[in-house]
Amino acid sequence: DAWLATTQHELRVGDWIDPDLGERTLESWALDWMDNQLHLKPKTRASYESLLLSRVLPELGHMALVDLRPSHIQAMVSRFMTEGVSASRTRQCVMVLSQIMKAAVADGLIRANPCLAVKQPRLPKTEMRVLTSIEVERVAAEVDDRYRILVYVLAYCGLRWGEAIALTHGDVDLAAGRIRVVRSLADVNGHLYLGSTKTYQRRSVVVPTFLRAALEEHMNRYGGQDGGDLVFAAPEGNFIRYGNFIARQRHPALEFAGVERTGVHILRHTCASLLVSAGAPIKAIQAQLGHSSAEMTLSRYSHLYPDDLDILAERLDAVRTSAKLDGLTQRPRDDNGLGRG
């Protein structure tokens, strides 16, 4: 009677879930879900597929959706950590699985998303490495002349790698000292995809004065003058491959310059560091780097403001001094030495 009453109520309010629908296996539902994620960028899609096929489905793919519990997912997380899977990749696995289960809830296959109750490993705190202006100069001096200006653009304009190598002559306005960032190139499993930027937003970034003449000379030397020619191209005239640049230019240049090996993305972090050092407003840094919000910029680069509290103390001292409090008399006291009031 209780079950019947509950079921009839769920039918009336539209909350009833057909238990047969939840009998689909996670693998069957996840693969169908992936087929429908056509809005994802190729690189993101490839990352999701890798997480599913290599980690999530081998662990839980055989289970029915309706049988999947938070404890099963928690056990998967524990196994990953025991096997030495990084906290970042483990969290990514849970994130993708959570999206899949959320879609199952929306489609009426299950009642709740079991991933929401799962405790995930904390990400280790690592100090973000940035280069000094001198180190940027040393690295730029060690790469082939064809790529020297590319190093400067990455370090002083804050472009992502894919954004920089997708630039054409029509994107550069040297008179105004601006670069229009409107597209990005992604290398996914050896295939190149030209599409929108990471945040789907177009932006205009400033080019420092010292770099404008050098950039113009580079464009005249290594490319034609029509608006479609690549600003930074391989010797054959096509797109620069990230792997080739790292192996043939970046790593040897770092070694000769006496700088520890890092990825190209360190130059983007370097740009943020240089802007912070120059006292640029946070909104200006956000615009230059193309972050979706100022909060994201602060979260990513808050460690670059280590002296903020000291500055705050100095300003509080200055406020008190400007108020000229030293000449004020103390409050009157009664015979017992206690202040009135």
Side-chain angles (χ1 to χ4, degrees):
D1 290 343
W3 172 86
L4 180 60
T6 300
T7 303
Q8 288 174 337
H9 173 74
E10 291 174 348
L11 287 169
R12 282 195 303 270
V13 300
D15 287 344
W16 183 72
I17 299 293
D18 185 348
D20 292 338
L21 296 178
E23 293 299 327
R24 288 192 64 176
T25 64
L26 173 62
E27 180 174 9
S28 171
W29 174 252
L31 294 179
D32 284 349
W33 178 84
M34 274 302 313
D35 288 341
N36 292 323
Q37 304 308 299
L38 301 180
H39 62 284
L40 295 177
K41 291 187 174 183
K43 193 169 184 178
T44 303
R45 182 182 178 86
S47 175
Y48 283 10
E49 289 178 344
S50 174
L51 293 169
L52 281 175
L53 298 178
S54 66
R55 290 294 175 184
V56 177
L57 295 185
E59 291 282 342
L60 304 173
H62 64 284
M63 296 189 64
L65 293 173
V66 72
D67 293 334
L68 201 55
R69 297 286 184 267
S71 58
H72 298 124
I73 304 170
Q74 195 70 63
M76 178 188 72
V77 169
S78 298
R79 282 193 293 272
F80 286 171
M81 299 305 295
T82 302
E83 295 171 3
V85 180
S86 68
S88 175
R89 188 162 180 82
T90 299
R91 291 172 67 93
Q92 290 170 4
C93 288
V94 177
M95 178 271 295
V96 174
L97 179 57
S98 182
Q99 291 190 40
I100 292 171
M101 302 307 290
K102 181 180 178 181
V105 173
D107 223 35
L109 275 65
I110 56 176
R111 190 175 299 279
N113 182 352
C115 296
L116 300 181
V118 175
K119 294 183 179 180
Q120 302 186 51
R122 293 185 178 182
L123 293 174
K125 292 184 178 181
T126 57
E127 189 68 26
M128 185 180 293
R129 174 79 164 92
V130 297
L131 302 183
T132 65
S133 295
I134 294 176
E135 288 176 324
V136 172
E137 291 296 324
R138 295 210 307 257
V139 172
E142 295 297 340
V143 299
D144 291 350
D145 188 68
R146 169 182 287 274
Y147 306 108
R148 183 171 60 88
I149 303 303
L150 173 59
V151 172
Y152 285 132
V153 167
L154 292 171
Y156 286 95
C157 299
L159 272 65
R160 300 176 179 90
W161 168 262
E163 295 170 345
I165 60 175
L167 289 176
T168 65
H169 283 236
D171 298 325
V172 181
D173 186 348
L174 291 172
R178 296 290 188 274
I179 292 177
R180 293 187 310 116
V181 183
V182 298
R183 68 189 70 81
S184 182
L185 188 77
D187 189 339
V188 182
N189 299 325
H191 299 283
L192 298 179
Y193 297 91
L194 189 63
S196 59
T197 63
K198 184 176 182 179
T199 56
Y200 296 94
Q201 296 177 350
R202 299 186 174 195
R203 72 184 189 278
S204 178
V205 303
V206 65
V207 182
T209 305
F210 84 90
L211 184 54
R212 297 175 190 178
L215 182 55
E216 182 177 19
E217 180 183 353
H218 168 89
M219 292 167 62
N220 291 333
R221 182 175 181 182
Y222 294 107
Q225 295 302 308
D226 64 27
D229 285 351
L230 293 174
V231 174
F232 304 109
E236 302 80 11
N238 48 17
F239 290 113
I240 302 173
R241 294 274 187 167
Y242 180 81
N244 292 341
F245 179 79
I246 288 291
R248 302 172 185 174
Q249 299 293 327
R250 175 73 176 173
H251 283 170
L254 292 174
E255 183 177 350
F256 285 124
V259 179
E260 63 179 291
R261 284 194 176 188
T262 58
V264 169
H265 209 65
I266 192 178
L267 293 174
R268 178 170 163 83
H269 299 325
T270 296
C271 179
S273 174
L274 295 174
L275 289 171
V276 170
S277 300
I282 191 63
K283 290 295 291 184
I285 300 176
Q286 174 203 346
Q288 185 80 356
L289 298 180
H291 287 160
S292 56
S293 66
E295 289 77 10
M296 178 180 178
T297 307
L298 279 172
S299 175
R300 192 69 183 272
Y301 298 110
S302 59
H303 65 286
L304 297 177
Y305 297 85
D307 300 325
D308 277 1
L309 292 179
D310 293 333
I311 294 174
L312 180 61
E314 294 174 2
R315 290 179 178 176
L316 289 174
D317 287 339
V319 168
R320 185 181 185 282
T321 301
S322 64
K324 299 180 180 179
L325 300 177
D326 294 338
L328 296 180
T329 59
Q330 295 181 345
R331 295 177 60 189
R333 298 177 178 273
D334 58 22
D335 294 339
N336 295 324
L338 300 176
R340 299 191 184 97

